[in-house]
Amino acid sequence: MPFIKILTNLEIGDSLKNEIYRDLGKSISILPGKSEAWLMIQVESSKSLCFQGNTSPCLMAEVKLYGKAGKEAYDRLASAITKTACDKLSLPSDRVYVEFEETPFWGFEGNLF
């Protein structure tokens, strides 16, 4: 079950959030064995974020997943997430961070995978 959390200091309306959900839902399959069927996404807008000493528009994406993926897959997903941020929010790519976190344990329906 992958989880993608998006934090940005921009205001994002519901319609645009839905577009981001769709883009990220398609992109998660870049990671081997991952699909939108198990993906959870959280988008938080209008957050207080400062990057490089200023509060110009920026975005932080956190990707958490059960198991592991290779560097090439992470690189491709980071590129896809950045592209979504640039296309949907008009952010420059140098104002987008993507973090990956792997976990050996993930609970669902009260049990561990």
Side-chain angles (χ1 to χ4, degrees):
M1 179 179 167
F3 176 67
I4 300 175
K5 181 177 183 177
I6 302 293
L7 298 168
T8 184
N9 52 3
L10 295 170
E11 175 63 34
I12 304 175
D14 289 340
S15 177
L16 191 50
K17 279 184 186 178
N18 287 330
E19 290 181 37
I20 292 169
Y21 295 150
R22 278 191 298 273
D23 281 7
L24 296 177
K26 292 176 187 173
S27 297
I28 198 62
S29 63
I30 290 170
L31 298 181
K34 305 302 177 190
S35 71
E36 186 175 22
W38 291 95
L39 175 63
M40 185 179 290
I41 303 168
Q42 177 182 13
V43 175
E44 294 188 23
S45 64
S46 301
K47 293 297 176 186
S48 177
L49 295 174
C50 178
F51 177 49
Q52 296 177 330
N54 65 70
T55 57
S56 295
C58 61
L59 182 142
M60 176 69 194
E62 300 172 2
V63 180
K64 298 180 182 186
L65 71 143
Y66 170 70
K68 297 181 180 286
K71 183 181 182 307
E72 182 180 309
Y74 287 140
D75 186 51
R76 290 178 49 222
L77 183 56
S79 179
I81 291 170
T82 301
K83 182 175 178 359
T84 294
C86 293
D87 291 351
K88 302 297 180 189
L89 303 174
S90 300
L91 281 167
S93 63
D94 65 352
R95 300 288 297 166
V96 177
Y97 263 169
V98 181
E99 173 197 20
F100 294 94
E101 181 180 332
E102 300 171 337
T103 182
F105 302 104
W106 201 282
F108 176 67
E109 293 186 327
N111 299 296
L112 290 178
F113 281 104

